Amino acid sequence: MKTMGFVFLLLAFFAIGVVQGQLRVGFYSNTCPDAESIVSSVVRNATQFISNIPPVLFRLHFHDCFVEGCDGSILIENGPKAERHAFGHQGVGGFEVKEQAKAQLEATCPGVVSCTDIVALAARDAIALANGPSYEVPTGRRDGRVSDVSLAANMLDVSDSI
């Protein structure tokens, strides 16, 4: 029950940021109508081969959103100073699932779906596959262009006390 409460709290946290960003459910319905089903399919397939992928994808989304908002900055690989190399991000994974989804989306509708929306949709699908709640994800985020390890300096560590 504590886990469901934690998931609800995180979803509420993300929803607050969504209201301010003018995001909307179905953002890609005209420009890439199969976007959500493509991401769902990739996540479902990955789960068949990697049983722990649902919490891995949820953690990826959390770590991206915690630092500078849900901007995809953790996805940018720009050398040793990239945000993904911050101490607090050790063990974050799921990048390969995002890459698979991005490749399929680019083949279907190039240059339309942001990487940060892919991560948000993948986290939603992962939670549902882990028998968590199903919920709609407002989309329309734009990918950030800055990834700096120092921005993640205050990231919570697994040994930090609540």
Side-chain angles (χ1 to χ4, degrees):
M1 192 62 165
K2 286 183 180 180
T3 303
M4 292 303 291
F6 179 71
V7 169
F8 179 76
L9 180 65
L10 284 174
L11 293 176
F13 169 74
F14 292 131
I16 290 169
V18 165
V19 171
Q20 295 175 6
Q22 303 298 318
L23 306 178
R24 63 182 167 84
V25 172
F27 181 84
Y28 299 111
S29 60
N30 293 327
T31 55
C32 190
D34 294 329
E36 292 193 30
S37 63
I38 289 171
V39 174
S40 292
S41 175
V42 169
V43 172
R44 197 171 31 261
N45 289 340
T47 302
Q48 291 176 356
F49 297 102
I50 308 168
S51 62
N52 73 332
I53 207 67
V56 168
L57 291 171
F58 183 69
R59 185 170 184 231
L60 175 62
H61 184 52
F62 171 78
H63 278 255
D64 180 43
C65 295
F66 189 87
V67 176
E68 289 286 310
C70 306
D71 65 350
S73 56
I74 196 170
L75 305 172
I76 300 170
E77 180 55 83
N78 59 342
K81 298 282 186 185
E83 179 187 320
R84 71 167 56 184
H85 300 299
F87 181 78
H89 290 326
Q90 289 179 1
V92 172
F95 299 103
E96 69 284 354
V97 175
K98 190 280 303 175
E99 289 297 327
Q100 289 172 6
K102 184 65 173 177
Q104 288 187 27
L105 287 164
E106 287 298 306
T108 304
C109 35
V112 175
V113 181
S114 69
C115 291
T116 191
D117 274 344
I118 294 170
V119 171
L121 293 167
R124 175 208 55 195
D125 296 335
I127 289 169
L129 285 169
N131 297 318
S134 295
Y135 58 95
E136 292 185 324
V137 172
T139 48
R141 293 165 190 79
R142 296 294 173 226
D143 291 331
R145 305 226 183 263
V146 175
S147 180
D148 186 339
V149 70
S150 68
L151 295 174
N154 294 326
M155 185 70 205
L156 299 174
D157 185 61
V158 293
S159 63
D160 287 343
S161 172
I162 292 177

